[in-house]
Amino acid sequence: MSLKVYAFTCGWLTVPTALLLEGESGHLTVPVPAYLIEHPKGCALFDSGLHVDTQTDADRRLGRLAPFHTVHFSAGEEIASRLRAVDVAADRIDYVINSHLHFDHCGGNEQLPNATLLVQRREWEAAHDADLIEKVYYDPHDYDHGHRVRAVEGEHDLFGDGSAVCFPTPGHTPGHQSLRVRIGREDVVLTGDACYLRRTLDELHLPTAAYDREQMLASLRRLRTLRDKGSVIITGHDPEMWRTIPQAPALLGVPAS
Ligand SMILES: [Zn+2]
C-alpha cells in the first residue's frame, strides 16, 4: 500500500543556532512541519505544529521557552486551516502520531477533537512526570485535552500493512519516535527532532538540548543506517531541506498507481 502524504508548514521559529548545533553562534529560522497521511483505513497526522494561541500571545503560551524562540506564525497556518485547504476537516483526523510532546510538535492537537494520540508509552509517562516536565520542557496545556491515547512500546504498524510504521528514536526526549512511510517505491523517514538538520545526521553534531546524548547518538546512527539502505530522510527543522519539500496541496512524492 502506498500512501498519500502532504507536508504543511505550521509556522517558523527563530532560535539560537546553538540550540540545534552545539557550540555554534548566531540564529537560525526553522520551519515547523506537520504531515497529513491518507490511507483507506483512516487519516493520520505526523505532528500538529504550534498551538494557535502562539499567533497572538506567544510569550504567554511559551512561558519559560519564550526567551529562546521568536514565533512567526500567522492566521491560516495552524493545523486546522492547513487541513481545510486540502479539503480535510480537522474532525476527520483519526490519529495524531506525535513524534514527541514538545510545543512545536503537539500544539495543534487541541484542534483535532476526534483523533487518537499515538505516542510511545515512555514519552506519555515522561510528559506526566513533574520532574521531567520541568527538565525536558513539556507543557501539559499542549497535550492534555482528553484525547484517546494509544501508548505504544517500540515499533508500531499503524494500518497493519507496513505503510506507516512508528519506531523509537529516543534521546531528544525520553520517548521520541520517528515515522517511516511508504510513498510509491520509496521509504521516507520523518525524523521529527531525533534529527534537527541534515548536518546533524552528516556530522553527528548534537544539539545543546538533548535529554540523553548517548541515546540520541544511537538514534542518529539508526537513521544513518536507514539512509544508507536507501530511505529518504526528512529531518525535523532544516530550512534548506524544507525548501526542497513539496508543500500541500502538492503530494510529498509520487504514490504508486
Ligand atoms: Zn521541534
Side-chain angles (χ1 to χ4, degrees):
M1 178 70 209
S2 171
L3 299 165
K4 282 186 179 171
V5 180
Y6 300 86
F8 305 119
T9 309
C10 294
W12 295 75
L13 297 169
T14 300
V15 298
T17 307
L19 266 192
L20 310 179
L21 295 167
E22 191 172 42
E24 302 231 340
S25 56
H27 287 77
L28 202 56
T29 298
V30 303
V32 178
Y35 303 86
L36 170 66
I37 296 154
E38 290 188 336
H39 185 281
K41 287 187 179 171
C43 280
L45 286 172
F46 180 69
D47 286 337
S48 62
L50 298 158
H51 194 279
V52 68
D53 284 357
T54 57
Q55 291 174 355
T56 49
D57 195 0
D59 282 357
R60 189 190 57 78
R61 184 78 202 186
L62 266 58
R64 62 201 167 121
L65 287 171
F68 312 106
H69 296 79
T70 304
V71 176
H72 316 279
F73 190 34
S74 302
E77 296 176 344
E78 69 281 4
I79 194 66
S81 292
R82 291 299 198 202
L83 288 167
R84 204 176 306 123
V86 291
D87 293 323
V88 175
D91 62 7
R92 267 190 54 208
I93 297 299
D94 302 297
Y95 305 99
V96 184
I97 303 161
N98 288 126
S99 61
H100 64 302
L101 295 171
H102 278 161
F103 74 100
D104 54 323
H105 296 263
C106 65
N109 285 13
E110 192 173 14
Q111 294 194 321
L112 308 162
N114 298 321
T116 294
L117 311 190
L118 206 165
V119 290
Q120 291 289 320
R121 181 176 300 285
R122 182 79 187 91
E123 185 72 5
W124 190 251
E125 289 176 353
H128 293 87
D129 176 288
D131 289 344
L132 290 175
I133 286 172
E134 190 65 25
K135 184 173 177 216
V136 188
Y137 291 93
Y138 296 114
D139 182 349
H141 292 105
D142 287 325
Y143 46 81
D144 272 346
H145 301 293
H147 290 94
R148 284 181 301 275
V149 175
R150 186 184 295 177
V152 300
E153 294 178 49
E155 286 208 2
H156 182 78
D157 182 349
L158 178 57
F159 298 115
D161 59 3
S163 63
V165 179
C166 315
F167 60 99
T169 44
H172 175 67
T173 59
H176 191 286
Q177 63 181 349
S178 299
L179 180 71
R180 189 177 74 240
V181 289
R182 187 84 183 155
I183 304 176
R185 295 177 197 282
E186 284 191 313
D187 277 335
V188 177
V189 176
L190 310 175
T191 71
D193 289 356
C195 183
Y196 280 137
L197 308 166
R198 198 192 311 255
R199 280 183 60 194
T200 317
L201 198 58
D202 289 346
E203 303 166 14
L204 296 181
H205 191 146
L206 291 185
T208 306
Y211 169 71
D212 184 317
R213 298 172 65 83
E214 287 308 310
Q215 279 189 347
M216 190 160 190
L217 275 172
S219 293
L220 285 169
R221 291 199 177 96
R222 180 168 187 191
L223 293 170
R224 269 192 173 186
T225 301
L226 291 171
R227 184 170 72 175
D228 292 346
K229 288 181 178 169
S231 293
V232 175
I233 306 289
I234 302 183
T235 62
H237 288 293
D238 192 320
E240 287 177 29
M241 181 182 286
W242 200 242
R243 274 195 281 276
T244 71
I245 304 294
Q247 301 287 302
L251 285 167
L252 180 67
V254 181
S257 54

